[in-house]
Every structure is written in structure tokens, then in C-alpha cells.
Amino acid sequence: MNYPEQLNPIVWPLVVYCLAVLALIVLMLSLSYFLGQKRRDPATDEPFESGIISQGSARLRISVAYYLVAILFIVFDLEAVYLFSWSIAFFETGLLGFIEASVFIIILLVGLIYLWRLGALEWGGKQKSLINRKNHQ
């Protein structure tokens, strides 16, 4: 069917949903504005966390191991997303798709072995590359 004058029947539920979400947002913001507390104290704009006034600087040194684990998590999380989408289309991709997925997994395994040998997965000690750099100086 052709709907020249009105919305496509597939699009109108999306439009209704978006309008409902916008109406809910406006309702929540206006209720909090009208029913919320209006008092302003000198301490209102002071930063605090969990009711405790903060002390010192918020700039902390975080270990590089944290960032390495975060990056490794993202890499292997993306690997899982790609492999999940490949597994859905397993029969459609055929042997060529299987070979491409295998090459993808092998490349990631080589990267994991490289990081493992480099010491990037070690929590306790320093990375071998950093130790070697200090020894060569």
C-alpha cells in the first residue's frame, strides 16, 4: 500500500514513542522544578561526596595497569561483538566467512600472546619493556 498523505504504519509507533519520551522528560523536569527545594545556602555550591566535604586535590595518579586492563577489555569485548554477528550469519557466509573469522581470531591471539610475553597482563610486577628500557640506559 502507498500512504502519501499519512505516516507510514511502521514509522508512526516510533513517532508516538519519541513524543511519549519527550513528554515524560518535560513532566519530570517541571515537577522537580516546581516541587523542589528553593533554598540557597552558602554551602550549596561547595563540592562534596556522600555528605563529606572533600579534602585535597581530585587529581590522583592511577596505575597504568588499570588502563591496560580497560583497553584489553574493550578489544576483547569488540571481538565478541564481531564474532557474535558472524555466528548469526554463519550459514550465509559459508567457508569464506569461516576462514575470515579464523584469521580474525588468529590475529587477536597473536596480539594476546605478544601482550602476555611483554608482561602487560601481569598485575604485580613491572612490564618487561620498562625493565629493559631502564637496563639499557
Side-chain angles (χ1 to χ4, degrees):
M1 290 180 129
N2 193 3
Y3 297 95
E5 300 280 327
Q6 61 195 84
L7 289 174
N8 190 338
I10 296 173
V11 175
W12 75 266
L14 181 63
V15 171
V16 170
Y17 176 75
C18 289
L19 290 175
V21 167
L22 287 174
L24 182 65
I25 290 171
V26 168
L27 176 72
M28 291 172 68
L29 288 175
S30 60
L31 281 177
S32 68
Y33 178 77
F34 290 115
L35 299 177
Q37 193 173 3
K38 305 281 191 284
R39 189 180 67 194
R40 298 284 294 179
D41 289 334
T44 301
D45 295 328
E46 289 186 20
F48 69 95
E49 183 175 342
S50 302
I52 300 171
I53 296 174
S54 60
Q55 298 175 358
S57 175
R59 300 185 189 276
L60 300 174
R61 297 191 83 140
I62 298 176
S63 173
V64 175
Y66 171 78
Y67 295 110
L68 289 174
V69 169
I71 289 171
L72 289 174
F73 173 77
I74 290 171
V75 166
F76 289 108
D77 194 38
L78 289 175
E79 172 194 6
V81 169
Y82 289 134
L83 289 178
F84 180 73
S85 61
W86 166 76
S87 67
I88 290 174
F90 176 75
F91 293 109
E92 288 83 5
T93 58
L95 181 63
L96 183 62
F98 178 74
I99 292 171
E100 289 175 353
S102 300
V103 168
F104 178 68
I105 292 171
I106 289 170
I107 290 171
L108 285 172
L109 281 175
V110 167
L112 179 64
I113 291 169
Y114 172 74
L115 288 173
W116 189 0
R117 295 200 53 163
L118 195 65
L121 303 177
E122 298 293 328
W123 281 95
K126 293 187 177 182
Q127 295 178 2
K128 290 181 182 178
S129 63
L130 296 176
I131 294 171
N132 291 338
R133 188 180 306 155
K134 288 181 181 178
N135 290 339
H136 293 294
Q137 289 180 352

